[in-house]
PDB file of all heavy atoms in Angstrom:
ATOM      1  N   SER Z   1     -31.652 -23.822 -75.703  1.00  0.00           N
ATOM      2  CA  SER Z   1     -32.596 -24.197 -76.765  1.00  0.00           C
ATOM      3  C   SER Z   1     -33.530 -25.295 -76.280  1.00  0.00           C
ATOM      4  O   SER Z   1     -34.741 -25.246 -76.510  1.00  0.00           O
ATOM      5  CB  SER Z   1     -31.837 -24.695 -77.994  1.00  0.00           C
ATOM      6  OG  SER Z   1     -31.012 -23.686 -78.487  1.00  0.00           O
ATOM      7  N   THR Z   2     -32.973 -26.292 -75.579  1.00  0.00           N
ATOM      8  CA  THR Z   2     -33.784 -27.391 -75.049  1.00  0.00           C
ATOM      9  C   THR Z   2     -34.780 -26.874 -74.022  1.00  0.00           C
ATOM     10  O   THR Z   2     -35.956 -27.221 -74.056  1.00  0.00           O
ATOM     11  CB  THR Z   2     -32.871 -28.453 -74.399  1.00  0.00           C
ATOM     12  OG1 THR Z   2     -31.912 -28.875 -75.362  1.00  0.00           O
ATOM     13  CG2 THR Z   2     -33.663 -29.648 -73.923  1.00  0.00           C
ATOM     14  N   THR Z   3     -34.302 -26.023 -73.113  1.00  0.00           N
ATOM     15  CA  THR Z   3     -35.187 -25.520 -72.064  1.00  0.00           C
ATOM     16  C   THR Z   3     -36.279 -24.625 -72.633  1.00  0.00           C
ATOM     17  O   THR Z   3     -37.389 -24.577 -72.106  1.00  0.00           O
ATOM     18  CB  THR Z   3     -34.396 -24.757 -70.968  1.00  0.00           C
ATOM     19  OG1 THR Z   3     -33.614 -23.737 -71.577  1.00  0.00           O
ATOM     20  CG2 THR Z   3     -33.482 -25.683 -70.202  1.00  0.00           C
ATOM     21  N   LEU Z   4     -35.975 -23.935 -73.735  1.00  0.00           N
ATOM     22  CA  LEU Z   4     -36.994 -23.104 -74.380  1.00  0.00           C
ATOM     23  C   LEU Z   4     -38.154 -23.958 -74.878  1.00  0.00           C
ATOM     24  O   LEU Z   4     -39.318 -23.587 -74.755  1.00  0.00           O
ATOM     25  CB  LEU Z   4     -36.367 -22.322 -75.539  1.00  0.00           C
ATOM     26  CG  LEU Z   4     -37.218 -21.245 -76.178  1.00  0.00           C
ATOM     27  CD1 LEU Z   4     -37.640 -20.211 -75.145  1.00  0.00           C
ATOM     28  CD2 LEU Z   4     -36.462 -20.581 -77.300  1.00  0.00           C
ATOM     29  N   TRP Z   5     -37.844 -25.151 -75.411  1.00  0.00           N
ATOM     30  CA  TRP Z   5     -38.908 -26.071 -75.845  1.00  0.00           C
ATOM     31  C   TRP Z   5     -39.737 -26.539 -74.657  1.00  0.00           C
ATOM     32  O   TRP Z   5     -40.938 -26.747 -74.771  1.00  0.00           O
ATOM     33  CB  TRP Z   5     -38.313 -27.271 -76.591  1.00  0.00           C
ATOM     34  CG  TRP Z   5     -37.845 -26.900 -77.956  1.00  0.00           C
ATOM     35  CD1 TRP Z   5     -36.556 -26.880 -78.407  1.00  0.00           C
ATOM     36  CD2 TRP Z   5     -38.649 -26.472 -79.069  1.00  0.00           C
ATOM     37  NE1 TRP Z   5     -36.512 -26.453 -79.703  1.00  0.00           N
ATOM     38  CE2 TRP Z   5     -37.778 -26.209 -80.149  1.00  0.00           C
ATOM     39  CE3 TRP Z   5     -40.015 -26.274 -79.248  1.00  0.00           C
ATOM     40  CZ2 TRP Z   5     -38.233 -25.764 -81.381  1.00  0.00           C
ATOM     41  CZ3 TRP Z   5     -40.468 -25.832 -80.484  1.00  0.00           C
ATOM     42  CH2 TRP Z   5     -39.588 -25.585 -81.527  1.00  0.00           C
ATOM     43  N   TRP Z   6     -39.102 -26.703 -73.474  1.00  0.00           N
ATOM     44  CA  TRP Z   6     -39.844 -27.095 -72.267  1.00  0.00           C
ATOM     45  C   TRP Z   6     -40.854 -26.012 -71.907  1.00  0.00           C
ATOM     46  O   TRP Z   6     -41.985 -26.308 -71.525  1.00  0.00           O
ATOM     47  CB  TRP Z   6     -38.898 -27.314 -71.097  1.00  0.00           C
ATOM     48  CG  TRP Z   6     -38.004 -28.495 -71.214  1.00  0.00           C
ATOM     49  CD1 TRP Z   6     -37.985 -29.443 -72.199  1.00  0.00           C
ATOM     50  CD2 TRP Z   6     -36.965 -28.862 -70.308  1.00  0.00           C
ATOM     51  NE1 TRP Z   6     -37.009 -30.359 -71.970  1.00  0.00           N
ATOM     52  CE2 TRP Z   6     -36.357 -30.034 -70.816  1.00  0.00           C
ATOM     53  CE3 TRP Z   6     -36.474 -28.319 -69.139  1.00  0.00           C
ATOM     54  CZ2 TRP Z   6     -35.305 -30.671 -70.172  1.00  0.00           C
ATOM     55  CZ3 TRP Z   6     -35.421 -28.954 -68.500  1.00  0.00           C
ATOM     56  CH2 TRP Z   6     -34.855 -30.119 -69.013  1.00  0.00           C
ATOM     57  N   VAL Z   7     -40.413 -24.741 -71.995  1.00  0.00           N
ATOM     58  CA  VAL Z   7     -41.309 -23.631 -71.668  1.00  0.00           C
ATOM     59  C   VAL Z   7     -42.482 -23.622 -72.640  1.00  0.00           C
ATOM     60  O   VAL Z   7     -43.641 -23.453 -72.240  1.00  0.00           O
ATOM     61  CB  VAL Z   7     -40.562 -22.275 -71.717  1.00  0.00           C
ATOM     62  CG1 VAL Z   7     -41.532 -21.120 -71.490  1.00  0.00           C
ATOM     63  CG2 VAL Z   7     -39.461 -22.228 -70.670  1.00  0.00           C
ATOM     64  N   MET Z   8     -42.198 -23.814 -73.929  1.00  0.00           N
ATOM     65  CA  MET Z   8     -43.271 -23.812 -74.920  1.00  0.00           C
ATOM     66  C   MET Z   8     -44.236 -24.972 -74.677  1.00  0.00           C
ATOM     67  O   MET Z   8     -45.449 -24.821 -74.838  1.00  0.00           O
ATOM     68  CB  MET Z   8     -42.687 -23.854 -76.335  1.00  0.00           C
ATOM     69  CG  MET Z   8     -42.013 -22.545 -76.633  1.00  0.00           C
ATOM     70  SD  MET Z   8     -41.336 -22.204 -78.271  1.00  0.00           S
ATOM     71  CE  MET Z   8     -41.385 -23.612 -79.205  1.00  0.00           C
ATOM     72  N   ALA Z   9     -43.716 -26.114 -74.264  1.00  0.00           N
ATOM     73  CA  ALA Z   9     -44.590 -27.250 -73.931  1.00  0.00           C
ATOM     74  C   ALA Z   9     -45.481 -26.900 -72.747  1.00  0.00           C
ATOM     75  O   ALA Z   9     -46.657 -27.258 -72.703  1.00  0.00           O
ATOM     76  CB  ALA Z   9     -43.758 -28.488 -73.617  1.00  0.00           C
ATOM     77  N   GLY Z  10     -44.923 -26.169 -71.783  1.00  0.00           N
ATOM     78  CA  GLY Z  10     -45.720 -25.726 -70.635  1.00  0.00           C
ATOM     79  C   GLY Z  10     -46.825 -24.765 -71.040  1.00  0.00           C
ATOM     80  O   GLY Z  10     -47.942 -24.846 -70.547  1.00  0.00           O
ATOM     81  N   ILE Z  11     -46.513 -23.866 -71.969  1.00  0.00           N
ATOM     82  CA  ILE Z  11     -47.531 -22.932 -72.458  1.00  0.00           C
ATOM     83  C   ILE Z  11     -48.651 -23.695 -73.156  1.00  0.00           C
ATOM     84  O   ILE Z  11     -49.828 -23.472 -72.914  1.00  0.00           O
ATOM     85  CB  ILE Z  11     -46.908 -21.895 -73.425  1.00  0.00           C
ATOM     86  CG1 ILE Z  11     -46.002 -20.936 -72.663  1.00  0.00           C
ATOM     87  CG2 ILE Z  11     -47.996 -21.117 -74.176  1.00  0.00           C
ATOM     88  CD1 ILE Z  11     -45.189 -20.019 -73.539  1.00  0.00           C
ATOM     89  N   LEU Z  12     -48.257 -24.611 -74.035  1.00  0.00           N
ATOM     90  CA  LEU Z  12     -49.253 -25.340 -74.809  1.00  0.00           C
ATOM     91  C   LEU Z  12     -50.060 -26.318 -73.963  1.00  0.00           C
ATOM     92  O   LEU Z  12     -51.143 -26.732 -74.360  1.00  0.00           O
ATOM     93  CB  LEU Z  12     -48.571 -26.075 -75.978  1.00  0.00           C
ATOM     94  CG  LEU Z  12     -47.931 -25.141 -77.018  1.00  0.00           C
ATOM     95  CD1 LEU Z  12     -47.160 -25.942 -78.046  1.00  0.00           C
ATOM     96  CD2 LEU Z  12     -48.967 -24.263 -77.688  1.00  0.00           C
ATOM     97  N   SER Z  13     -49.530 -26.693 -72.784  1.00  0.00           N
ATOM     98  CA  SER Z  13     -50.288 -27.609 -71.913  1.00  0.00           C
ATOM     99  C   SER Z  13     -51.252 -26.877 -70.990  1.00  0.00           C
ATOM    100  O   SER Z  13     -52.067 -27.496 -70.329  1.00  0.00           O
ATOM    101  CB  SER Z  13     -49.322 -28.445 -71.068  1.00  0.00           C
ATOM    102  OG  SER Z  13     -48.711 -27.635 -70.086  1.00  0.00           O
ATOM    103  N   SER Z  14     -51.137 -25.554 -70.943  1.00  0.00           N
ATOM    104  CA  SER Z  14     -52.024 -24.791 -70.066  1.00  0.00           C
ATOM    105  C   SER Z  14     -53.446 -24.835 -70.590  1.00  0.00           C
ATOM    106  O   SER Z  14     -53.675 -24.633 -71.779  1.00  0.00           O
ATOM    107  CB  SER Z  14     -51.563 -23.328 -69.983  1.00  0.00           C
ATOM    108  OG  SER Z  14     -50.292 -23.263 -69.402  1.00  0.00           O
ATOM    109  N   PRO Z  15     -54.407 -25.093 -69.701  1.00  0.00           N
ATOM    110  CA  PRO Z  15     -55.806 -25.171 -70.148  1.00  0.00           C
ATOM    111  C   PRO Z  15     -56.395 -23.782 -70.376  1.00  0.00           C
ATOM    112  O   PRO Z  15     -57.049 -23.226 -69.518  1.00  0.00           O
ATOM    113  CB  PRO Z  15     -56.498 -25.891 -68.989  1.00  0.00           C
ATOM    114  CG  PRO Z  15     -55.672 -25.556 -67.803  1.00  0.00           C
ATOM    115  CD  PRO Z  15     -54.258 -25.380 -68.284  1.00  0.00           C
ATOM    116  N   VAL Z  16     -56.088 -23.217 -71.529  1.00  0.00           N
ATOM    117  CA  VAL Z  16     -56.630 -21.907 -71.880  1.00  0.00           C
ATOM    118  C   VAL Z  16     -57.702 -22.088 -72.929  1.00  0.00           C
ATOM    119  O   VAL Z  16     -57.831 -23.147 -73.526  1.00  0.00           O
ATOM    120  CB  VAL Z  16     -55.507 -20.975 -72.395  1.00  0.00           C
ATOM    121  CG1 VAL Z  16     -54.554 -20.623 -71.303  1.00  0.00           C
ATOM    122  CG2 VAL Z  16     -54.779 -21.588 -73.572  1.00  0.00           C
ATOM    123  N   THR Z  17     -58.434 -21.026 -73.162  1.00  0.00           N
ATOM    124  CA  THR Z  17     -59.501 -21.133 -74.150  1.00  0.00           C
ATOM    125  C   THR Z  17     -58.914 -21.319 -75.539  1.00  0.00           C
ATOM    126  O   THR Z  17     -57.774 -20.929 -75.799  1.00  0.00           O
ATOM    127  CB  THR Z  17     -60.373 -19.857 -74.129  1.00  0.00           C
ATOM    128  OG1 THR Z  17     -59.536 -18.747 -74.430  1.00  0.00           O
ATOM    129  CG2 THR Z  17     -61.049 -19.677 -72.800  1.00  0.00           C
ATOM    130  N   LEU Z  18     -59.687 -21.886 -76.436  1.00  0.00           N
ATOM    131  CA  LEU Z  18     -59.221 -22.189 -77.793  1.00  0.00           C
ATOM    132  C   LEU Z  18     -58.729 -20.955 -78.536  1.00  0.00           C
ATOM    133  O   LEU Z  18     -57.645 -20.997 -79.132  1.00  0.00           O
ATOM    134  CB  LEU Z  18     -60.333 -22.904 -78.573  1.00  0.00           C
ATOM    135  CG  LEU Z  18     -59.947 -23.386 -79.964  1.00  0.00           C
ATOM    136  CD1 LEU Z  18     -58.804 -24.384 -79.907  1.00  0.00           C
ATOM    137  CD2 LEU Z  18     -61.139 -23.995 -80.669  1.00  0.00           C
ATOM    138  N   PRO Z  19     -59.449 -19.826 -78.519  1.00  0.00           N
ATOM    139  CA  PRO Z  19     -58.941 -18.653 -79.246  1.00  0.00           C
ATOM    140  C   PRO Z  19     -57.570 -18.199 -78.741  1.00  0.00           C
ATOM    141  O   PRO Z  19     -56.703 -17.847 -79.535  1.00  0.00           O
ATOM    142  CB  PRO Z  19     -60.002 -17.582 -78.986  1.00  0.00           C
ATOM    143  CG  PRO Z  19     -61.240 -18.333 -78.664  1.00  0.00           C
ATOM    144  CD  PRO Z  19     -60.790 -19.585 -77.973  1.00  0.00           C
ATOM    145  N   LEU Z  20     -57.385 -18.218 -77.413  1.00  0.00           N
ATOM    146  CA  LEU Z  20     -56.095 -17.811 -76.864  1.00  0.00           C
ATOM    147  C   LEU Z  20     -55.001 -18.789 -77.280  1.00  0.00           C
ATOM    148  O   LEU Z  20     -53.882 -18.390 -77.607  1.00  0.00           O
ATOM    149  CB  LEU Z  20     -56.176 -17.701 -75.337  1.00  0.00           C
ATOM    150  CG  LEU Z  20     -54.902 -17.210 -74.636  1.00  0.00           C
ATOM    151  CD1 LEU Z  20     -54.466 -15.859 -75.183  1.00  0.00           C
ATOM    152  CD2 LEU Z  20     -55.134 -17.121 -73.144  1.00  0.00           C
ATOM    153  N   MET Z  21     -55.332 -20.076 -77.300  1.00  0.00           N
ATOM    154  CA  MET Z  21     -54.369 -21.089 -77.727  1.00  0.00           C
ATOM    155  C   MET Z  21     -53.940 -20.852 -79.178  1.00  0.00           C
ATOM    156  O   MET Z  21     -52.759 -20.943 -79.509  1.00  0.00           O
ATOM    157  CB  MET Z  21     -54.968 -22.496 -77.581  1.00  0.00           C
ATOM    158  CG  MET Z  21     -54.016 -23.600 -77.973  1.00  0.00           C
ATOM    159  SD  MET Z  21     -52.576 -23.681 -76.922  1.00  0.00           S
ATOM    160  CE  MET Z  21     -53.262 -24.545 -75.540  1.00  0.00           C
ATOM    161  N   VAL Z  22     -54.908 -20.527 -80.032  1.00  0.00           N
ATOM    162  CA  VAL Z  22     -54.599 -20.255 -81.444  1.00  0.00           C
ATOM    163  C   VAL Z  22     -53.673 -19.047 -81.550  1.00  0.00           C
ATOM    164  O   VAL Z  22     -52.703 -19.056 -82.317  1.00  0.00           O
ATOM    165  CB  VAL Z  22     -55.904 -20.023 -82.250  1.00  0.00           C
ATOM    166  CG1 VAL Z  22     -55.601 -19.514 -83.645  1.00  0.00           C
ATOM    167  CG2 VAL Z  22     -56.712 -21.313 -82.324  1.00  0.00           C
ATOM    168  N   VAL Z  23     -53.949 -18.007 -80.762  1.00  0.00           N
ATOM    169  CA  VAL Z  23     -53.105 -16.807 -80.776  1.00  0.00           C
ATOM    170  C   VAL Z  23     -51.689 -17.138 -80.311  1.00  0.00           C
ATOM    171  O   VAL Z  23     -50.701 -16.689 -80.910  1.00  0.00           O
ATOM    172  CB  VAL Z  23     -53.731 -15.694 -79.889  1.00  0.00           C
ATOM    173  CG1 VAL Z  23     -52.760 -14.542 -79.692  1.00  0.00           C
ATOM    174  CG2 VAL Z  23     -55.015 -15.194 -80.503  1.00  0.00           C
ATOM    175  N   VAL Z  24     -51.577 -17.926 -79.237  1.00  0.00           N
ATOM    176  CA  VAL Z  24     -50.262 -18.305 -78.703  1.00  0.00           C
ATOM    177  C   VAL Z  24     -49.457 -19.067 -79.754  1.00  0.00           C
ATOM    178  O   VAL Z  24     -48.289 -18.745 -80.019  1.00  0.00           O
ATOM    179  CB  VAL Z  24     -50.416 -19.159 -77.416  1.00  0.00           C
ATOM    180  CG1 VAL Z  24     -49.096 -19.798 -77.025  1.00  0.00           C
ATOM    181  CG2 VAL Z  24     -50.950 -18.303 -76.282  1.00  0.00           C
ATOM    182  N   VAL Z  25     -50.076 -20.062 -80.380  1.00  0.00           N
ATOM    183  CA  VAL Z  25     -49.377 -20.856 -81.402  1.00  0.00           C
ATOM    184  C   VAL Z  25     -48.986 -19.966 -82.580  1.00  0.00           C
ATOM    185  O   VAL Z  25     -47.864 -20.051 -83.099  1.00  0.00           O
ATOM    186  CB  VAL Z  25     -50.259 -22.041 -81.873  1.00  0.00           C
ATOM    187  CG1 VAL Z  25     -49.639 -22.735 -83.073  1.00  0.00           C
ATOM    188  CG2 VAL Z  25     -50.450 -23.034 -80.729  1.00  0.00           C
ATOM    189  N   ALA Z  26     -49.894 -19.074 -82.995  1.00  0.00           N
ATOM    190  CA  ALA Z  26     -49.601 -18.169 -84.118  1.00  0.00           C
ATOM    191  C   ALA Z  26     -48.424 -17.255 -83.786  1.00  0.00           C
ATOM    192  O   ALA Z  26     -47.526 -17.051 -84.614  1.00  0.00           O
ATOM    193  CB  ALA Z  26     -50.832 -17.343 -84.470  1.00  0.00           C
ATOM    194  N   LEU Z  27     -48.404 -16.720 -82.549  1.00  0.00           N
ATOM    195  CA  LEU Z  27     -47.301 -15.846 -82.136  1.00  0.00           C
ATOM    196  C   LEU Z  27     -45.967 -16.594 -82.118  1.00  0.00           C
ATOM    197  O   LEU Z  27     -44.937 -16.055 -82.539  1.00  0.00           O
ATOM    198  CB  LEU Z  27     -47.582 -15.256 -80.750  1.00  0.00           C
ATOM    199  CG  LEU Z  27     -48.614 -14.135 -80.696  1.00  0.00           C
ATOM    200  CD1 LEU Z  27     -48.908 -13.753 -79.255  1.00  0.00           C
ATOM    201  CD2 LEU Z  27     -48.137 -12.918 -81.463  1.00  0.00           C
ATOM    202  N   LEU Z  28     -45.996 -17.826 -81.622  1.00  0.00           N
ATOM    203  CA  LEU Z  28     -44.767 -18.625 -81.603  1.00  0.00           C
ATOM    204  C   LEU Z  28     -44.263 -18.893 -83.013  1.00  0.00           C
ATOM    205  O   LEU Z  28     -43.058 -18.811 -83.283  1.00  0.00           O
ATOM    206  CB  LEU Z  28     -45.008 -19.943 -80.859  1.00  0.00           C
ATOM    207  CG  LEU Z  28     -45.274 -19.846 -79.355  1.00  0.00           C
ATOM    208  CD1 LEU Z  28     -45.613 -21.209 -78.778  1.00  0.00           C
ATOM    209  CD2 LEU Z  28     -44.085 -19.244 -78.640  1.00  0.00           C
ATOM    210  N   MET Z  29     -45.193 -19.197 -83.916  1.00  0.00           N
ATOM    211  CA  MET Z  29     -44.806 -19.454 -85.305  1.00  0.00           C
ATOM    212  C   MET Z  29     -44.260 -18.198 -85.978  1.00  0.00           C
ATOM    213  O   MET Z  29     -43.256 -18.245 -86.682  1.00  0.00           O
ATOM    214  CB  MET Z  29     -45.996 -20.007 -86.089  1.00  0.00           C
ATOM    215  CG  MET Z  29     -46.359 -21.434 -85.708  1.00  0.00           C
ATOM    216  SD  MET Z  29     -47.842 -22.040 -86.525  1.00  0.00           S
ATOM    217  CE  MET Z  29     -47.297 -22.131 -88.212  1.00  0.00           C
ATOM    218  N   VAL Z  30     -44.911 -17.052 -85.731  1.00  0.00           N
ATOM    219  CA  VAL Z  30     -44.438 -15.791 -86.304  1.00  0.00           C
ATOM    220  C   VAL Z  30     -43.039 -15.459 -85.779  1.00  0.00           C
ATOM    221  O   VAL Z  30     -42.159 -15.055 -86.544  1.00  0.00           O
ATOM    222  CB  VAL Z  30     -45.431 -14.644 -85.990  1.00  0.00           C
ATOM    223  CG1 VAL Z  30     -44.823 -13.289 -86.300  1.00  0.00           C
ATOM    224  CG2 VAL Z  30     -46.719 -14.834 -86.781  1.00  0.00           C
ATOM    225  N   ALA Z  31     -42.839 -15.629 -84.470  1.00  0.00           N
ATOM    226  CA  ALA Z  31     -41.524 -15.356 -83.881  1.00  0.00           C
ATOM    227  C   ALA Z  31     -40.451 -16.234 -84.513  1.00  0.00           C
ATOM    228  O   ALA Z  31     -39.361 -15.764 -84.830  1.00  0.00           O
ATOM    229  CB  ALA Z  31     -41.567 -15.574 -82.371  1.00  0.00           C
ATOM    230  N   ALA Z  32     -40.770 -17.504 -84.724  1.00  0.00           N
ATOM    231  CA  ALA Z  32     -39.807 -18.424 -85.332  1.00  0.00           C
ATOM    232  C   ALA Z  32     -39.500 -18.027 -86.774  1.00  0.00           C
ATOM    233  O   ALA Z  32     -38.332 -17.996 -87.187  1.00  0.00           O
ATOM    234  CB  ALA Z  32     -40.343 -19.852 -85.280  1.00  0.00           C
ATOM    235  N   VAL Z  33     -40.534 -17.692 -87.538  1.00  0.00           N
ATOM    236  CA  VAL Z  33     -40.338 -17.313 -88.949  1.00  0.00           C
ATOM    237  C   VAL Z  33     -39.552 -16.013 -89.065  1.00  0.00           C
ATOM    238  O   VAL Z  33     -38.619 -15.907 -89.874  1.00  0.00           O
ATOM    239  CB  VAL Z  33     -41.704 -17.191 -89.674  1.00  0.00           C
ATOM    240  CG1 VAL Z  33     -41.551 -16.549 -91.038  1.00  0.00           C
ATOM    241  CG2 VAL Z  33     -42.352 -18.562 -89.816  1.00  0.00           C
ATOM    242  N   VAL Z  34     -39.901 -15.016 -88.243  1.00  0.00           N
ATOM    243  CA  VAL Z  34     -39.188 -13.731 -88.283  1.00  0.00           C
ATOM    244  C   VAL Z  34     -37.722 -13.926 -87.915  1.00  0.00           C
ATOM    245  O   VAL Z  34     -36.820 -13.382 -88.573  1.00  0.00           O
ATOM    246  CB  VAL Z  34     -39.865 -12.705 -87.342  1.00  0.00           C
ATOM    247  CG1 VAL Z  34     -38.993 -11.475 -87.136  1.00  0.00           C
ATOM    248  CG2 VAL Z  34     -41.220 -12.296 -87.903  1.00  0.00           C
ATOM    249  N   SER Z  35     -37.467 -14.720 -86.881  1.00  0.00           N
ATOM    250  CA  SER Z  35     -36.083 -14.967 -86.453  1.00  0.00           C
ATOM    251  C   SER Z  35     -35.290 -15.659 -87.543  1.00  0.00           C
ATOM    252  O   SER Z  35     -34.152 -15.265 -87.849  1.00  0.00           O
ATOM    253  CB  SER Z  35     -36.061 -15.823 -85.192  1.00  0.00           C
ATOM    254  OG  SER Z  35     -36.765 -15.193 -84.185  1.00  0.00           O
TER     255      SER Z  35
END
């Protein structure tokens, strides 16, 4: 669980474009809510 948060921090720190960042955050939130 701890290491999973590290991976998510790595994803969110990647310099990607804003639309892609919004999609990534939305997907993570959807995955968490569905689970």
